[in-house]
Amino acid sequence: MEHLEDAHSITGLICNKNKYLYEFWSKAHGWAPESAASLLESSMLKWQFELSETLKIWCEKGHNITDGELILAWANLGALLEGSMKFFLCVYLLDYNAEEEKIKNYGKDILPDGAMLNGLIDFYEKKELFLNFVPLFKAVQTKRNAIHSFKYRDIGSFSDFENSLKDYYLFLCDIDGTIPYP
């Protein structure tokens, strides 16, 4: 595996991985189950790649990042994490649909592409998916939710953000190593 040295190199790796996943999985018709291929085609996988590119903004700031910028950095990473979690479930849509307990919104079962981060985290925990990354999921969720806050919340430091970038990249690698290819 590549050496995860600093935020800039990690961001480049994240961009490359999300670009590859976008380019490959947005054209899954003909070899993936039709329902999964259709859902992935209509999903905005391109935005996953483009949001990965915006991580560079925060990495350029480094330890000189302001609190406001750090909150936006966490929101950026939270959106990517949520999208990656949805992506995994969309690839395995037939398995997801076969589950008795699905992700719910207002008490109704929903497809993975409509889930919010909290519902995704709960589902991943219940199904014991990527359990070693649950601390990352929860930490990013807590820090990115500062964007909604009017009172103080712990948003950590740039070093915390950088460590979470490393963990997110490892999560992407685990996803990529788990999903099927033709």
Side-chain angles (χ1 to χ4, degrees):
M1 177 174 302
E2 301 90 345
H3 180 64
L4 302 182
E5 191 170 301
D6 64 11
H8 288 288
S9 65
I10 298 160
T11 299
L13 295 171
I14 290 169
C15 290
N16 290 341
K17 184 67 72 177
N18 274 327
K19 182 179 183 184
Y20 168 75
L21 292 172
Y22 150 62
E23 288 175 345
F24 187 86
W25 284 92
S26 61
K27 300 174 185 111
H29 286 284
W31 58 268
E34 187 57 34
S35 59
S38 293
L39 192 56
L40 287 164
E41 183 180 53
S42 68
S43 296
M44 294 306 300
L45 296 178
K46 181 180 179 189
W47 286 355
Q48 279 293 106
F49 165 63
E50 290 177 356
L51 283 168
S52 299
E53 290 278 325
T54 65
L55 291 171
K56 294 174 184 174
I57 296 167
W58 320 120
C59 294
E60 287 173 8
K61 301 283 182 176
H63 292 281
N64 295 321
I65 199 165
T66 67
D67 285 350
E69 291 165 337
L70 186 56
I71 291 168
L72 292 174
W74 285 116
N76 190 168
L77 183 55
L80 285 167
L81 180 63
E82 184 176 302
S84 296
M85 293 172 80
K86 290 176 182 185
F87 165 76
F88 178 80
L89 294 178
C90 288
V91 167
Y92 285 103
L93 187 60
L94 295 178
D95 294 323
Y96 174 82
N97 285 337
E99 290 290 337
E100 283 187 39
E101 289 188 45
K102 296 178 181 61
I103 301 169
K104 297 190 182 310
N105 193 12
Y106 297 105
K108 295 185 181 199
D109 292 347
I110 59 171
L111 289 173
D113 66 332
M116 292 190 222
L117 188 54
N118 194 54
L120 289 162
I121 293 171
D122 289 347
F123 185 82
Y124 273 62
E125 278 189 298
K126 286 178 189 169
K127 300 303 173 188
E128 298 182 353
L129 297 169
F130 302 102
L131 287 178
N132 54 323
F133 291 104
V134 170
L136 169 70
F137 302 162
K138 291 182 176 185
V140 171
Q141 178 188 32
T142 298
K143 289 172 175 56
R144 78 113 184 230
N145 282 348
I147 202 161
H148 305 295
S149 185
F150 194 69
K151 62 181 181 176
Y152 176 80
R153 286 186 191 223
D154 179 15
I155 58 170
S157 64
F158 181 76
S159 293
D160 296 327
F161 178 72
E162 189 174 33
N163 288 331
S164 292
L165 284 176
K166 292 174 187 176
D167 290 342
Y168 172 65
Y169 176 68
L170 294 174
F171 175 58
L172 279 178
C173 290
D174 276 9
I175 286 175
D176 191 33
T178 305
I179 54 180
Y181 285 95

